[in-house]
Amino acid sequence: MPTESPDPQPWPAQWLRGVLDLSVLAVIDRGETYGYRVATDLEALGLGVVKGGTLYPLLARLEEAGDVSTTWREGEAGPGRKWYATTPAGRERLRRDAARWRDFARLTSQLVTDPVDAGGPR
Amino acid sequence: MTERPAVPSPRGGGVPTSPVEAYCDDLLLALRMEDVSGARIGAVLAEVRDHLAESGEDPVEAFGSAREYAAAVGHGTAPGRTWSVLRSRAAEVVPGTALGAAAWWSATGARALLDGADAVLTEAHVLLPLLVGLAGPLLLDWAVERPRWWHLAAVAGAGAAALAVLHVVLGPLVRVPLPALAVLLAGLALVGVVVVLAARGADPVVDPLQDPRSARAVRHRDGRLVGALVAVPVLAGVALLVLVGALAG
């Protein structure tokens, strides 16, 4: 029986846009990594396919903001490879924004899932 | 550390180019048009190559068109969009204007020196190079389909043409006789300043793993090349103007 490949874009782009930088920072915080591996980790976690055209400018912004540090090393396939690791400032931002995200997600979940008396004028 | 080529993806003449290298060539050009520095371009190209080598994805599928991706990179790294555009525009207009003026002043001075007379500078010696220098970017924008500020360039081009016609029909409005040698030396000095600035501003694409000494050598080599590319046509232009003036006189 043929297996169904997972949906490459399981979530609306609009949702992902708000949380992608935090998700990328969280993936990098798991251990030093590089661009393509960040993309495959995000996909494996169920966030869908993040294209290189979206991912690398985002990584550059994280680097510019001082949230990640980078190192160039020889790659396995020939070209150089840029490795990313979170900085103390990046970890602090992750901790702070993760707490805020939890509150935000809880509020919006309540708003959109809790039943209310609908239909009458307010 | 391994020495790497200055431009990571030279397209060999007649050698078939892979889709990745063809994309990188297009991206390099698009990033140049976005005024991204050579060092940053080298880093972006290395990241694109590494990503595509491991993923096996189609370049356009993964990164979008070269122009779109260059715009995303350029917008992310520009310190301030308006300031950046103004600065890049000035960098295009000022050297061209200065070189045009310098060549004309040098030719006027040299011609007068040969005649044993004073060199006469007119308003056209200043205004015409400025208007042509402003109009030059129009050609560039048209060539690369980047229609930024083309209105100003179009007005400047029309102004240059109008000034040239008026100058021929009515003659100069202002005439300033100056020692021929002084005008020649001023023109040549201005050529020298622009050549040195152009050479020092050379910004080659450098691979992020290239060792600093070889990157410096590449920068110096490119500087000399840029300097020669600026100086030789201008000095040839001066010689041509002097020759035409001598033949006409």
Side-chain angles (χ1 to χ4, degrees):
Chain A
M1 199 172 148
T3 52
E4 265 189 40
S5 58
D7 183 358
Q9 303 298 342
W11 311 108
Q14 208 177 338
W15 294 5
L16 210 53
R17 210 170 293 135
V19 74
L20 191 57
D21 57 345
L22 196 58
S23 306
V24 168
L25 198 55
V27 167
I28 297 172
D29 197 47
R30 293 174 171 201
E32 195 185 31
T33 186
Y34 55 91
Y36 180 63
R37 193 188 278 170
V38 172
T40 52
D41 283 355
L42 290 170
E43 191 178 358
L45 289 164
L47 270 82
V49 174
V50 178
K51 303 270 189 192
T54 303
L55 179 63
Y56 290 97
L58 189 157
L59 287 168
R61 287 196 295 276
L62 289 177
E63 184 183 1
E64 207 175 332
D67 293 331
V68 297
S69 59
T70 61
T71 315
W72 281 95
R73 292 187 210 129
E74 292 282 351
E76 290 158 15
R81 174 164 288 169
K82 193 177 189 178
W83 290 80
Y84 296 84
T86 43
T87 60
R91 274 192 289 279
E92 172 56 26
R93 182 193 159 190
L94 180 61
R95 191 194 58 74
R96 195 180 57 239
D97 285 1
R100 294 184 72 206
W101 177 260
R102 252 193 315 273
D103 292 344
F104 179 75
R106 185 174 44 77
L107 282 171
T108 50
S109 299
Q110 274 174 2
L111 178 67
V112 299
T113 58
D114 285 358
V116 290
D117 294 332
R122 298 176 61 192
Chain B
M1 227 182 240
T2 315
E3 280 206 7
R4 285 167 174 260
V7 179
S9 66
R11 229 184 226 189
V15 178
T17 309
S18 74
V20 173
E21 289 311 312
Y23 182 82
C24 285
D25 285 352
D26 292 344
L27 183 58
L28 192 158
L29 181 63
L31 288 166
R32 282 288 191 206
M33 299 316 299
E34 289 287 338
D35 297 321
V36 176
S37 73
R40 176 81 179 115
I41 291 175
V44 169
L45 294 179
E47 263 186 338
V48 166
R49 285 200 181 92
D50 182 44
H51 181 101
L52 297 175
E54 188 159 0
S55 69
E57 292 170 320
D58 174 75
V60 177
E61 184 68 28
F63 289 93
S65 74
R67 195 176 294 182
E68 286 166 357
Y69 189 49
V73 172
H75 288 198
T77 56
R81 200 61 192 148
T82 308
W83 171 240
S84 163
V85 170
L86 279 173
R87 201 174 48 181
S88 73
R89 257 307 115 125
E92 287 166 8
V93 168
V94 172
T97 302
L99 274 180
W104 199 1
W105 297 354
S106 302
T108 304
R111 182 79 195 98
L113 203 60
L114 290 175
D115 290 345
D118 275 351
V120 179
L121 294 187
T122 69
E123 74 283 357
H125 281 88
V126 176
L127 290 177
L128 208 52
L130 177 63
L131 292 170
V132 171
L134 282 170
L138 172 65
L139 284 176
L140 182 67
D141 282 354
W142 175 76
V144 299
E145 297 170 21
R146 185 187 61 163
R148 251 187 231 162
W149 292 22
W150 62 271
H151 337 68
L152 176 62
V155 170
L163 182 68
V165 170
L166 283 175
H167 195 76
V168 169
V169 174
L170 300 175
L173 297 173
V174 180
R175 296 171 60 89
V176 182
L178 291 168
L181 186 61
V183 172
L184 172 63
L185 291 179
L188 291 178
L190 193 51
V191 171
V193 168
V194 177
V195 166
V196 168
L197 289 178
R200 289 178 62 175
D203 181 26
V205 174
V206 178
D207 187 280
L209 285 174
Q210 189 164 3
D211 70 291
R213 194 195 293 179
S214 108
R216 248 194 324 275
V218 168
R219 199 162 287 121
H220 288 155
R221 188 201 64 199
D222 280 20
R224 286 193 296 273
L225 184 65
V226 169
L229 283 173
V230 172
V232 169
V234 170
L235 294 178
V238 170
L240 190 68
L241 283 171
V242 171
L243 191 65
V244 169
L247 291 174

